Amino acid sequence: MHDDDEASGRVTLAAVAKEAGVSMPTVSKVLNGRSDVSRATRAKVERLLEVHGYRRRVQAASRSPLIELVFHELDSIWAMELIRGVENVARENRATVVLTESGTRHAPAPDWLPGVLQRRPLGVVLVFSTLPEDVKRRLRAAAIPFVVIDPAGDPDPDVPSVGSANWAGGLAATRHLTDRGHERIAIITGPEDMLCSLARLDGYRSAMAMAGVETDPRLTRFGDFHVQGGFEHAMDLLEGPDRPTAIFAGSDLHALGVLEAARVKGLRVPEDLSVVGYDDVPLAQWSSPPLTTVHQPLRHMAEEAARMLVRPDDPGTAAQRIELATHLVVRQSTAPPGKA
């Protein structure tokens, strides 16, 4: 049942209240994200709202002109690209962007949810790999649409999401190196429990197989997408005579760490070591030398996610997946092995 008019909405809420054994004001508190409802009662009411197909019809005037953007960390270069993308769409729709830092890379912290239910934004863009069932259910019950941007993973099929072609990016980066004659190619990808890291690694392995080059498991490292992690892994990889001639870094921040490790080891880039990054953040073109990298359309991803929230056909009612293309940007950090 849907509340297509005020009367049917009252009937639906009355039926839910009666079946749950609670009052109508209690059901209203659950819908409005009030904290003065027990966890057990809230779960029972939310389950019945979902079973009965109840979905609030929220008037635009009752919503705050906000788009909430939620990260698990804001201290990364690529976060700025996502912020700019959401801001572009918010500006077009006379809305304001609210930034929230919460949780881990997998999901927001539980204490985030009551606040967003009270703020009642136009919609929420979340930069996480997935969302807990409780979060999805409560956002839907409150008619707050949401979209996940997932450079960090692959959301559940019922979650509207925007991502990019990570496997193709890993393939392109590695083929660029094999086409230049490299065989000892190391990879420093992201955390092992993130699907984007594994997809880029699979692309790397596919490119190596296509070139007829056997992969050395000692040259595969799982990092954290940050500069220090790239530096530490590269320092270890570049130790000894059997070092790689090229490193594919799973992020531009990793790549900056690799460039510093090469400098410390007295290696020239690209004459002694070729380096390819991932993301193509603005800083990549100003590194020394300018970084060859895979362009991940972060700003475009954020724009598409925000548009899914503000378009008139209510994107919160049906999940969809948008995957944007990646492409290689060749600069000056790669060359054939041993070529000055």
Side-chain angles (χ1 to χ4, degrees):
M1 290 186 290
H2 295 268
D3 57 333
D4 292 329
D5 57 51
E6 186 177 353
S8 64
R10 285 199 303 268
V11 170
T12 301
L13 292 181
V16 168
K18 182 177 180 181
E19 192 170 346
V22 300
S23 66
M24 283 280 288
T26 298
V27 176
S28 179
K29 288 179 181 180
V30 171
L31 283 169
N32 288 290
R34 292 271 297 274
S35 60
D36 52 341
V37 180
S38 72
R39 181 176 299 181
T41 298
R42 181 184 303 280
K44 181 190 295 186
V45 171
E46 287 173 345
R47 182 181 60 81
L48 289 171
L49 288 169
E50 188 172 10
V51 167
H52 285 288
Y54 179 86
R55 195 173 299 279
R56 290 182 63 164
R57 188 177 297 276
V58 181
Q59 299 297 323
S62 70
R63 290 181 177 172
S64 301
L66 307 173
I67 296 177
E68 186 151 345
L69 178 55
V70 190
F71 295 88
H72 80 278
E73 60 179 9
L74 286 168
D75 59 344
S76 64
I77 299 174
W78 57 261
M80 291 305 302
E81 291 298 292
L82 297 178
I83 292 169
R84 289 189 180 101
V86 173
E87 283 185 333
N88 288 343
V89 175
R91 192 179 306 113
E92 295 170 0
N93 291 272
R94 299 181 179 180
T96 300
V97 178
V98 175
L99 299 179
T100 302
E101 188 175 44
S102 176
T104 68
R105 64 177 178 265
H106 298 293
D111 60 4
W112 164 76
L113 191 57
V116 73
L117 292 176
Q118 291 180 357
R119 287 187 289 276
R120 302 202 61 79
L122 296 174
V124 183
V125 177
L126 301 112
V127 188
F128 297 96
S129 56
T130 189
L131 290 178
E133 288 298 323
D134 178 61
V135 173
K136 292 187 287 187
R137 182 175 64 250
R138 293 179 67 180
L139 289 174
R140 286 170 178 148
I144 299 176
F146 58 90
V147 179
V148 168
I149 297 178
D150 67 323
D154 187 14
D156 296 330
D158 66 334
V159 176
S161 64
V162 181
S164 66
N166 287 292
W167 180 86
L171 180 77
T174 311
R175 286 194 67 177
H176 173 72
L177 295 169
T178 59
D179 287 349
R180 277 150 183 75
H182 291 277
E183 294 186 355
R184 284 197 63 74
I185 303 171
I187 178 173
I188 308 172
T189 189
E192 195 168 2
D193 61 349
M194 295 173 68
L195 291 184
C196 69
S197 306
L198 300 177
R200 293 170 196 177
L201 177 59
D202 285 344
Y204 158 85
R205 288 171 173 162
S206 296
M208 296 288 277
M210 291 168 64
V213 179
E214 186 174 349
T215 57
D216 183 344
R218 295 173 298 176
L219 299 183
T220 296
R221 304 296 173 93
F222 291 94
D224 57 5
F225 290 138
H226 293 289
V227 175
Q228 186 65 29
F231 175 78
E232 292 173 357
H233 281 297
M235 287 293 287
D236 186 51
L237 287 165
L238 298 175
E239 187 70 34
D242 198 24
R243 63 173 179 81
T245 62
I247 296 179
F248 166 34
S251 73
D252 290 341
L253 294 180
H254 267 170
L256 292 178
V258 173
L259 293 177
E260 176 59 15
R263 187 194 67 80
V264 171
K265 293 288 188 180
L267 300 175
R268 300 167 298 166
V269 177
E271 294 87 351
D272 303 316
L273 178 72
S274 287
V275 181
V276 179
Y278 202 103
D279 287 330
D280 192 27
V281 296
L283 186 62
Q285 62 185 311
W286 298 108
S287 65
S288 182
L291 187 65
T292 295
T293 185
V294 175
H295 178 80
Q296 181 172 212
L298 294 168
R299 193 175 304 193
H300 189 192
M301 290 163 63
E303 289 173 344
E304 289 297 324
R307 289 191 183 103
M308 290 168 71
L309 297 176
V310 301
R311 68 183 188 182
D313 56 338
D314 189 11
T317 62
Q320 63 172 293
R321 168 75 174 177
I322 297 175
E323 187 162 278
L324 302 178
T326 55
H327 66 270
L328 187 72
V329 178
V330 179
R331 296 193 179 102
Q332 298 171 30
S333 64
T334 53
K339 298 294 184 181

